[in-house]
Each structure stands twice: as C-alpha cells, then as structure tokens.
Amino acid sequence: MTEPAQWKIDFVKNLEDEINSRKVAAIVSIKGLRNNEFQKIRNSIRDKARIKVSRARLLRLAIENTGKNNIVKLKDYAHGQVALITTDESPKKIYDILEKSKTKAPAKGGEIAEEDIVIEPKETNFPPGPKISEFQKAGLPAAIEKGKIVIKSEVTFVKKGDVITREKALVLKDLEIYPITAGLDLIAAYEDGLIFNKDVLSISDEKIMSDLASAFLGAKSLAIEANFIVPEIVPDMISKAYLEAQSLAIEANFVDEKNIDIFIRKAFINASAIEALINKDLNNEDITDKKEEKAEEKETSSDEDAASGLGALFG
C-alpha cells in the first residue's frame, strides 16, 4: 500500500489542531465563489474566525482523528468544494456573520437562477448599434427611442431554477443586473457534542423568541389546568382561586365587603329589569283600554246611526 504524501499527513494534522483549538468547527461550501470574493470574506471575518480550504476527503479524515465528542457526525457534511471554519463564536453567530457578508455578483453563464430574473421596461445607456441585436437575440423586447436602446416591456428573462446561459449572462452584466449571491454557505457546525445544520441555524432570533414565548404560555396553561404548582404559575393560581371563590360566594349569596358592590350592581340590574317588565305591562294595559274605548265608541256610534235611520223611515 502506498504511503500518503507527507504534505497530506501534515495538512490533516494541521486541520486536527485547528479543530481542537476552537470551540466551534463548521463546514462551508465555496462552490462557485471567485478567489477575490473568497479573500474579501476571509479578511472581513479574520478577527472572529479562521478559514482553511481543504479537499473534502482530507477534511473528513481530520474530523475523524480529532476525538471530540460526537464530532465524527460532522464529516457527513464534508462533500464537494468545502472549507473549514473554526471559531469561538456560537454557530448561530458565525452563520449570521457569513449571511451578512454575502453580496450580489454578475452571472458568468452556467449558474442556476436563484429566483425569477425580471427585467423592467427602461431606457439603457447604450446608443443604437450592435447591442440591440444582442439584446433581441437574448429575448429582450429592445428598440431604439430618442437615440437610446430601450426595453419596451417587462419580461421574465430567466425563470427560477433555469440555467443562465452565457448569452444571457452578458446581457445581464450590460444592464448591471447581478443575480448571483456570492458568499460562503454554512452547511453544518459542531459545538459541545452537537451538530447544527443550516436549517436550524437559519431560524431567526425573532422566530426563536416567538416560539419560546408560545411554548412558555402553553406550558403555564397546562400546569394551571393540571394544578401542577411551580413558582412561575403561583400568581396565576392565586388569581384563579380568587375568581373561583368570588364566583362561588355570589352563587351562594354570601355577602362580604369584597363582593358587596357586585351584589349591589346585580340588585340594580334586576330592579331595572323588573321595572322594565312592569312598564311594559302598564303600556300593554293602556293599549288594551284604548282599544276597548275605541270599540265602545264605534259601537255607540253605530247604534245612534241605526236609530236615526229608523226614525227617518217611520217619521
């Protein structure tokens, strides 16, 4: 069996020492990242973290050799074009730092569109010339107006998930549209025996606090219902007991100085209701009396008319 090259042995040992020297070790993807962009990011986080580019196989070997508790699971994320980041910052903080360091870059051709690339109607800085045929060939509704090339209408130039062709990449660069997000993608990080993947680290602080608050309120509610007394719910339990005692006292007509105002309000409401019923009955009686009076008047009038008619007949 061929012995590994000494530089590989030394490199793996260097990676091991680097991982062991810091609390956190993270694997990041450097796929598609230009060298100048990589150097810019490296310089921007130099005071918080160190970055070492490595072949994935050598990085996996270094992770296996460190002996840190449960870190061997981190090697499952070391595939493709990757680098190692070591830091004493938390995984969440280093993830946020890397996300903030990302910038928009021009497409070179061959990249996958991260989202729909929409070009709005606008006037360009290009005079009439060969550019208009390049734009039209690439699929843009280009025309000449007032001595300038203009985009006549909105167009979805590249759909999300489609490959950005070299031809379209050149047009996008001419229009100063930079559709590629350039930066280090944190794939997974290790700290104190735990592995944090991107899905976990991408959760915002606001979301975490909201979920914690909801969980706390849910736990409090459950504890109160189960009468499971812990310091956090004692004030709520006292309030609940007080309200239940007050309700029971009212039901039993037990009057004291703490609930007498409730009984007074209750009596006032009942009195008002009785008064309303009495007034309603009185009104109904008045209406009935008036109807009877009208009926009697009508009957008397009819009798008088009949008598008058008979008098005229026999008079």
Side-chain angles (χ1 to χ4, degrees), residues 216 220 224 228-243:
F216 177 72
K220 276 184 68 176
I224 291 169
F228 182 76
I229 300 176
V230 291
E232 289 78 7
I233 68 164
V234 168
D236 299 274
M237 293 290 285
I238 292 172
S239 297
K240 182 184 177 186
Y242 175 76
L243 292 174

Side-chain angles (χ1 to χ4, degrees), residues 96-111:
D96 290 341
I97 290 171
L98 293 179
E99 287 298 302
K100 288 176 182 176
S101 71
K102 289 182 177 180
T103 58
K104 285 296 186 179
K108 296 183 293 184
E111 300 94 339

